[in-house]
């Protein structure tokens, strides 16, 4: 689902709201989520999941072409952990 599809679906569910208002609300929510995660804080949405930043520690790797050892530095990785409810729904989902 794209952002535009989300806005259209929400506007259809709430006809009392204009599509412009729904667009603004979605934009503000996404901006707030973005800023929160980028500041290092954790976001938890009940029955959906949580977003957090995990630090992946430095590792020694090998260049596959040359076999040379290289050091990969620490890095931040965005992590999403689904809620138990969402995880259970995904496990039972069957694609046709």
């Amino acid at each position: 689902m794209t952002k535009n599809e989300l806005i259209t679906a929400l506007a259809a569910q709430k006809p009392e709201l204009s599509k412009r208002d729904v667009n603004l609300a979605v934009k503000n929510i996404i901006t707030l989520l973005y800023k929160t995660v980028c500041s290092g804080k954790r976001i938890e949405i009940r029955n959906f999941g949580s977003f957090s930043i995990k630090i992946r520690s430095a590792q020694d790797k090998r260049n596959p072409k040359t076999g040379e050892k290289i050091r990969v530095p620490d890095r931040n990785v965005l992590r999403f952990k689904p809620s138990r409810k969402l995880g259970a729904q995904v496990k039972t989902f069957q694609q046709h």
Side-chain angles (χ1 to χ4, degrees):
M1 176 179 271
T2 65
K3 184 174 153 185
N4 284 334
E5 291 170 341
L6 175 64
I7 292 166
T8 301
L10 289 172
Q13 287 181 2
K14 296 290 182 182
E16 65 272 12
L17 297 174
S18 71
K19 195 169 180 179
R20 182 173 180 251
D21 290 340
V22 174
N23 183 20
L24 184 61
V26 168
K27 181 180 175 184
N28 286 334
I29 290 169
I30 291 172
T31 300
L32 180 60
L33 293 173
Y34 182 90
K35 287 180 179 180
T36 302
V37 168
C38 288
S39 70
K41 295 179 185 169
R42 183 173 184 266
I43 297 173
E44 183 178 331
I45 302 171
R46 300 279 180 196
N47 295 324
F48 184 72
S50 61
F51 297 89
S52 59
I53 293 181
K54 180 181 175 186
I55 299 173
R56 186 168 289 163
S57 58
Q59 298 176 343
D60 290 325
K61 299 280 185 172
R62 289 197 180 273
N63 181 331
K65 280 188 174 181
T66 64
E68 175 189 0
K69 265 188 165 180
I70 55 173
R71 181 79 173 162
V72 178
D74 289 351
R75 61 183 174 165
N76 295 330
V77 179
L78 179 62
R79 179 170 183 254
F80 173 72
K81 182 177 180 185
S83 69
R84 287 185 184 173
K85 187 175 183 178
L86 178 61
Q89 288 291 321
V90 169
K91 284 180 185 176
T92 61
F93 175 74
Q94 293 181 1
Q95 198 167 5
H96 298 285

